[in-house]
Amino acid sequence: MTSEFIADVFEVRLKDGMHGIVIDVTDPECTIVKNIREGTVSDWNSTCPEGKNVKEFDRILEVNGVRGSSVELAKALGSGTEGPMVLSLQRPEQRVVTLQRPGEIGVVLNYKKLGSKAPWITKISAGLLTRWNEDTPEQAVGIHDRIRAVNGASGTPEELMAGIKDAAETLELTVLHYGF
């Protein structure tokens, strides 16, 4: 998948120094910005063109020409901590999915207690989410998308998973869509 075919892709050119990016590599195929500390990225954010600032949940597609798995991108970020760096990032599209229960959601979510910013979709099977995707293709969600909030409440991955389990009638998911 090349950046020319992914919506909301932008490039960030960082100067020498520590970048200050904390990443979430818990999804092996979707590396996201977990947090931004003081460093060249926060410097970039204070002077960059509008809409090109690095934010939490942005997906890292490339580091200094290196593309690959979360592990490969983490290595590239680690090896470039002191020199100039060029990042290709994707801004996810926020979508609100409203599912009416009863019924199986038809989704497998994954997260790791240590390291995950939010749960991500690993599988979609027959159920309410498949019906949503078929009925509203312009708002469809997919594999590697992240759950940001449940019924309007954000929280830790554990809290989000509990909110999904406990939702009785209406389940509203705020999803960050990456377009895999």
Side-chain angles (χ1 to χ4, degrees):
M1 177 182 310
T2 63
S3 61
E4 297 84 47
F5 302 105
I6 303 172
D8 296 321
V9 172
F10 60 100
E11 189 173 89
V12 173
R13 295 186 170 275
L14 303 174
K15 297 179 181 181
D16 286 341
M18 297 294 288
H19 54 69
I21 299 175
V22 179
I23 58 173
D24 177 341
V25 296
T26 56
D27 179 340
E29 297 178 44
C30 186
T31 308
I32 65 166
V33 175
K34 183 176 180 180
N35 197 344
I36 300 168
R37 296 182 178 156
E38 190 172 323
T40 58
V41 171
S42 60
D43 295 343
W44 165 269
N45 281 348
S46 66
T47 61
C48 69
E50 187 175 332
K52 304 298 182 193
N53 57 322
V54 180
K55 295 181 179 181
E56 291 181 357
F57 290 102
D58 283 348
R59 178 179 171 213
I60 301 173
L61 300 171
E62 187 174 301
V63 178
N64 289 339
V66 175
R67 289 181 168 264
S69 69
S70 291
V71 170
E72 292 165 323
L73 291 172
K75 285 180 185 176
L77 273 170
S79 66
T81 54
E82 291 296 331
M85 187 177 294
V86 178
L87 304 175
S88 177
L89 298 165
Q90 177 195 13
R91 177 84 18 94
E93 180 182 324
Q94 183 169 296
R95 298 181 173 183
V96 177
V97 175
T98 304
L99 307 174
Q100 296 299 322
R101 288 186 160 166
E104 290 296 319
I105 299 170
V107 67
V108 176
L109 299 172
N110 199 353
Y111 73 95
K112 298 202 180 343
K113 284 187 179 185
L114 295 175
S116 290
K117 179 82 173 159
W120 71 92
I121 298 171
T122 58
K123 183 180 179 183
I124 299 174
S125 56
L128 299 174
L129 189 57
T130 297
R131 190 171 320 130
W132 168 270
N133 283 345
E134 290 168 353
D135 292 347
T136 55
E138 71 284 353
Q139 289 294 306
V141 297
I143 305 301
H144 303 291
D145 288 353
R146 299 276 178 144
I147 308 300
R148 180 76 191 260
V150 176
N151 290 336
S154 57
T156 66
E158 294 86 356
E159 290 167 337
L160 295 172
M161 298 293 280
I164 292 169
K165 181 181 175 191
D166 295 343
E169 293 179 18
T170 300
L171 176 61
E172 182 182 275
L173 302 173
T174 304
V175 179
L176 298 176
H177 179 66
Y178 294 95
F180 273 84

